[in-house]
Amino acid sequence: MREYLNPRVDFAFKKLFGSEENKTILIAFINAILPQAEQIADVEILNPYNQPARVGEKLSILDIKAVDKQGKRYNIEMQVADQVHYNQRALYYWAKFYSEQLMQGKPFSDLNKTISIHILNFNYFDEPEYHNAFKILHTRTQKCYFEDLELHFIELEKFDKSVEAITTAIERWTTFLRRAGEYNRSTLPATLSCDPAIVQAMESLEQMHLSEEEYDLYEGQLKWLRDE
């Protein structure tokens, strides 16, 4: 009926990571970014995926927002189109997401750490690494006194490790996002199938039920991605 869905396509990405039924996939992806001491067990998706009613109608969410049991907030976004001022865009949306926690009359102590995770389908930073993390540091001592700000960027095109050589969770997810359209459950390489969350994500992509209208929407976005 169709080729396997590409998780980089806006439609499939949001349905895969932003749906309540796939919350364990989202948690596993976030944990792949976080250090071991900050691993999370559960999150609440603040803007769960809702299906567009008609072909061509915009998705109800532009990114995925979640909060864990300690109140820490996460913003995850897949960006396929190159943008000249993406650093400013990312910082602006981090600030918006951070500041909307504080209701009128509430103390600043109610603000919780906010982490933005941006998956880029293009190269942006003049850095060799595919995963770059940013915090506010003291210019002389390099100490971090502003713990609440943290931004991560994963540049998919910079990741050139072979499938056979990957070993970490973040490498598995980066490979999955780059190459999931090439695999199915039976052809998933051993370095990916060893991770239950990756297997679940692959199964979720295969089992996504698309109506004719939904498939037309997906195909339109996939064509645009290929053109880019």
Side-chain angles (χ1 to χ4, degrees):
M1 177 183 175
R2 59 168 173 82
E3 64 184 31
Y4 300 114
L5 296 181
N6 187 328
R8 283 182 293 164
V9 173
D10 189 74
F11 178 86
F13 180 83
K14 290 177 175 65
K15 196 167 187 178
L16 178 63
F17 289 98
S19 300
E20 284 292 338
E21 61 268 25
N22 288 337
K23 193 163 67 169
T24 55
I25 297 174
L26 176 62
I27 293 169
F29 177 73
I30 292 174
N31 280 336
I33 306 296
L34 300 178
Q36 189 62 39
E38 298 179 26
Q39 299 288 284
I40 60 175
D42 194 16
V43 292
E44 174 191 355
I45 300 176
L46 300 178
N47 57 343
Y49 175 89
N50 290 310
Q51 185 62 52
R54 297 182 299 278
V55 174
E57 182 175 314
K58 288 191 70 173
L59 292 169
S60 59
I61 55 176
L62 297 175
D63 49 11
I64 298 165
K65 297 178 179 178
V67 59
D68 66 20
K69 296 297 185 183
Q70 286 69 47
K72 192 180 296 182
R73 295 160 74 84
Y74 306 89
N75 184 44
I76 303 99
E77 182 173 352
M78 175 79 214
Q79 183 68 33
V80 295
D82 196 349
Q83 295 190 17
V84 177
H85 302 293
Y86 193 80
N87 56 340
Q88 292 172 310
R89 179 189 185 280
L91 191 59
Y92 173 81
Y93 281 107
W94 175 91
K96 192 171 185 296
F97 189 39
Y98 180 70
S99 62
E100 69 184 24
Q101 300 179 69
L102 203 60
M103 305 301 292
Q104 188 172 5
K106 295 292 184 179
F108 288 112
S109 58
D110 283 359
L111 290 169
N112 290 291
K113 184 173 182 176
T114 297
I115 299 173
S116 288
I117 301 170
H118 298 266
I119 305 155
L120 308 182
N121 197 50
F122 54 90
N123 294 339
Y124 188 78
F125 297 103
D126 187 20
E127 300 287 343
E129 295 84 5
Y130 74 96
H131 175 212
N132 292 284
F134 298 87
K135 297 181 178 182
I136 298 179
L137 302 177
H138 190 291
T139 56
R140 180 173 54 83
T141 66
Q142 299 299 298
K143 291 181 179 179
C144 183
Y145 290 99
F146 300 90
E147 295 284 353
D148 283 3
L149 186 147
E150 185 171 326
L151 298 100
H152 293 261
F153 297 84
I154 298 174
E155 297 166 281
L156 297 178
E157 295 304 311
K158 286 184 181 177
F159 186 76
D160 58 0
K161 210 168 195 180
S162 68
V163 174
E164 296 75 21
I166 61 177
T167 57
T168 66
I170 190 172
E171 290 175 351
R172 288 192 289 271
W173 281 110
T174 303
T175 301
F176 172 80
L177 289 169
R178 284 199 66 186
R179 304 183 61 178
E182 304 173 19
Y183 303 125
N184 58 41
R185 281 173 290 181
S186 61
T187 62
L188 203 62
T191 49
L192 297 181
S193 62
C194 66
D195 190 326
I198 296 287
V199 173
Q200 183 184 353
M202 189 76 253
E203 291 175 347
S204 180
L205 281 178
E206 290 187 357
Q207 294 169 8
M208 279 186 187
H209 297 292
L210 303 182
S211 67
E212 185 176 346
E213 288 188 340
E214 291 169 349
Y215 188 57
D216 287 343
L217 176 62
Y218 169 82
E219 281 291 298
Q221 293 177 337
L222 182 60
K223 180 181 182 300
W224 183 89
L225 178 62
R226 287 168 173 163
D227 291 343
E228 283 292 303

